[in-house]
Amino acid sequence: MSVSQSLAVIVLLIVLSAFFSVAEISLAASRRLRLRQMADDGNEGAEHALRVQEQPGEYFTVVQVGQNAVAILGGIVGEGAFSPALTEFFSIWCSPSLSTTLGFLLSFFIVTSAFILLADLLPRRISMNEPERYVVRVLAPMRWFVVIFKPIIWFYNLATDTLFRLLGLPATRDERITSDDILAMTEAGTKAGVLAAREQQVIANVFELDSRTVASAMTQRDSVAFFYRDDSDAIIRARIAEEPFSTYPVCDGDIDHVIGYVDAKDLFQRALNNQPLSLRDDSLIRKVLIVPDRLTLAEVLEQFRMVHEDFAVIVNEYSLVVGVVTLNDVMSTVMGDLVGPTDEEQIIRRDEHSWLIDGITPIEDVMRVLHLDDMPHDDEYETLAGFLMVMLRRVPRRTDTVTWGGFKFEVLDVDSYRIDQVMVTQLPEPAAESAAPSAAAAAKVQGSAAQAQAGKSSHS
């Protein structure tokens, strides 16, 4: 075989090897969601690619047989094509044995480099950019290769399946898409500029509905505006003017005995018609939805859907009212800072390294703002105030501090045992690294120091 013929054969083998590389990477990298979209748009090749992805054994066997056969043939042809000429070239300066060795090594390097660059790296990178586009193009010729190599495919598939069974490995790919997969895709889309950061956060909040309890979104008991059944017209009007809400629980005796709720629209309609406002009229009071405080937000949404309501009273295991929640509260959790007036923000950033945070802020929101992956004993509390109570093992007082995860949490204001404001400060790295290994212990020490200081002040 002449040198020109050998070169032509090598070029043909490189093209064939490049085809197998594209076939392999394009199928492996193709996204099922994208292929399904293409199939729904009428692309038959995408539909076939989905079927091949479900049972890719024969496909990849053909790819491996083809690539290895082409590589072996390329080595044989390349060595025969270049070695004699290169050996003769080196014989001008070297001994016959050395020139033969150098000619073989240089021939091997040229052929191997050509295959690596042109038959492997280049086609793989190209097919990685648009795998769905290329996989639908290579499927038709791959069908012919499957037919041609059928006996070889049968043998290698049998051997491979036997090895999989012996090793206890799964023979098919798990195609289930989890919430983590979707979140990873949205994060990648945000980094690529396809999604806005706030849009990505909304998607993440939707998946948090299954893990966040209703207590993280409800209006706390001490902030609930309610009516007693025997409230007078003047009291009702005054409370509506002072605390304007769309819905008010109606109680009998105290807030723990809720008998229903009244819609503000019904009260306004009576007021506009100059009718007296009395909650003893049963036509005004509607049946209220009662839900336990251990439900997740997703479960509360399902309860709203089942009873066609958008308001619920939250009770604990002792049947005591701990708060109320509305559909708007749940949706505000999903939408985050895309909705809601700025004067009601629970987390306010003071500067680059410090934040002012309301004590009732859900701990998930605190973790997200501070970029913390976990919190200690996170199954024991729902809010930042709960975190401080668990870490201090008592009701926090003003100036108490807790150090955790490179941040210092300092209580600024307490109102009737309710933590109003907490200053969170990011510690410098050396200080964070030298922090006590036990955050609970550190919190106790700092809390005790605050008590001691308070004692000195009271005696002076």
Side-chain angles (χ1 to χ4, degrees):
M1 186 181 295
S2 65
V3 175
S4 59
Q5 291 174 330
S6 298
L7 286 174
V9 172
I10 290 175
V11 171
L12 178 62
L13 292 175
I14 288 176
V15 171
L16 192 58
S17 182
F19 168 81
F20 286 124
S21 295
V22 171
E24 178 184 23
I25 296 301
S26 61
L27 183 70
S30 292
R31 296 159 292 186
R32 289 189 63 83
L33 292 176
R34 176 59 179 155
L35 288 175
R36 173 53 58 193
Q37 183 180 5
M38 294 170 63
D40 293 341
D41 292 338
N43 192 316
E44 296 181 2
E47 185 68 39
H48 181 61
L50 287 169
R51 292 195 297 268
V52 173
Q53 278 192 337
E54 294 174 359
Q55 297 292 335
E58 292 187 351
Y59 185 95
F60 285 123
T61 300
V62 170
V63 169
Q64 293 304 314
V65 169
Q67 284 183 327
N68 284 280
V70 168
I72 293 171
L73 289 174
I76 295 172
V77 175
E79 195 276 335
F82 300 114
S83 285
L86 293 172
T87 299
E88 183 178 352
F89 173 77
F90 284 117
S91 64
I92 300 175
W93 299 281
C94 305
S95 63
S97 59
L98 181 58
S99 61
T100 301
T101 302
L102 292 175
F104 169 77
L105 291 177
L106 185 56
S107 174
F108 175 80
F109 175 77
I110 293 173
V111 175
T112 302
S113 298
F115 271 88
I116 290 175
L117 293 174
L118 302 178
D120 194 22
L121 295 180
L122 182 62
R124 285 174 184 267
R125 289 193 178 185
I126 292 175
S127 56
M128 279 291 292
N129 292 334
E130 297 180 282
E132 297 84 9
R133 173 187 173 188
Y134 289 103
V135 72
V136 296
R137 296 186 177 185
V138 301
L139 280 177
M142 282 297 293
R143 294 179 189 176
W144 289 104
F145 283 114
V146 169
V147 174
I148 295 171
F149 295 137
K150 196 68 175 180
I152 301 176
I153 292 172
W154 176 84
F155 171 76
Y156 283 115
N157 277 345
L158 178 62
T160 303
D161 291 340
T162 302
L163 289 174
F164 266 78
R165 285 194 296 270
L166 291 175
L167 297 175
L169 299 174
T172 58
R173 184 170 66 175
D174 187 0
E175 297 294 347
R176 291 175 299 179
I177 299 177
T178 65
S179 58
D180 291 336
D181 297 330
I182 298 175
L183 290 176
M185 292 174 62
T186 58
E187 289 176 3
T190 302
K191 292 179 180 178
V194 179
L195 280 176
R198 290 188 174 185
E199 294 173 341
Q200 189 271 333
Q201 187 58 60
V202 169
I203 297 173
N205 289 343
V206 170
F207 287 105
E208 284 187 2
L209 293 180
D210 280 324
S211 59
R212 295 182 63 162
T213 62
V214 65
S216 66
M218 70 182 182
T219 300
Q220 303 289 331
R221 173 190 175 104
D222 57 356
S223 301
V224 175
F226 64 94
F227 296 127
Y228 292 112
R229 188 178 180 94
D230 56 357
D231 279 345
S232 65
D233 180 285
I235 292 176
I236 294 174
R237 293 174 184 270
R239 184 155 300 157
I240 292 175
E242 182 181 354
E243 301 177 283
F245 294 103
S246 61
T247 309
Y248 299 87
V250 179
C251 305
D252 187 8
D254 57 56
I255 192 174
D256 292 317
H257 294 83
V258 179
I259 60 176
Y261 76 92
V262 61
D263 195 315
K265 292 184 295 184
D266 296 335
L267 297 177
F268 292 155
Q269 186 175 4
R270 290 207 169 197
L272 292 173
N273 293 330
N274 295 320
Q275 295 178 328
L277 303 181
S278 174
L279 298 178
R280 294 192 175 279
D281 186 349
D282 291 336
S283 63
L284 279 177
I285 300 177
R286 306 186 186 187
K287 186 176 180 180
V288 67
L289 174 65
I290 307 291
V291 298
D293 61 351
R294 291 292 93 189
L295 290 188
T296 65
L297 292 178
E299 291 172 325
V300 171
L301 279 179
E302 180 62 18
Q303 293 272 353
F304 283 155
R305 187 192 65 81
M306 292 175 59
V307 300
H308 304 290
E309 288 286 354
D310 58 5
F311 174 81
V313 173
I314 315 300
V315 298
N316 61 16
E317 58 184 311
Y318 303 106
S319 299
L320 300 178
V321 174
V322 295
V324 298
V325 67
T326 66
L327 179 61
N328 185 60
D329 294 330
V330 180
M331 298 314 299
S332 296
T333 301
V334 174
M335 300 305 293
D337 57 2
L338 291 179
V339 297
T342 56
D343 60 347
E344 294 184 2
E345 287 185 1
Q346 294 179 321
I347 302 177
I348 301 175
R349 185 161 193 163
R350 297 177 66 251
D351 53 43
E352 187 178 357
H353 300 291
S354 64
W355 297 260
L356 274 177
I357 304 180
D358 195 301
I360 64 171
T361 304
I363 198 65
E364 292 89 351
D365 294 343
V366 177
M367 292 170 62
R368 180 167 53 247
V369 169
L370 303 182
H371 302 290
L372 292 173
D373 295 328
D374 55 21
M375 298 288 279
H377 316 293
D378 56 0
D379 58 338
E380 299 182 20
Y381 49 84
E382 300 286 346
T383 64
L384 178 59
F387 161 73
L388 294 171
M389 289 182 181
V390 168
M391 299 301 291
L392 292 168
R393 311 312 296 177
R394 59 175 171 77
V395 177
R397 301 183 180 91
R398 191 168 178 268
T399 73
D400 281 347
T401 61
V402 170
T403 300
W404 174 263
F407 294 91
K408 183 177 78 171
F409 300 81
E410 181 180 359
V411 180
L412 295 185
D413 188 25
V414 179
D415 182 15
S416 299
Y417 305 109
R418 178 186 180 277
I419 301 175
D420 280 340
Q421 282 192 332
V422 178
M423 172 79 77
V424 180
T425 307
Q426 186 173 14
L427 300 174
E429 290 188 6
E433 292 175 359
S434 62
S438 171
K444 290 181 180 179
V445 171
Q446 295 173 38
S448 299
Q451 293 180 55
Q453 184 65 33
K456 291 179 180 179
S457 299
S458 62
H459 286 85
S460 60

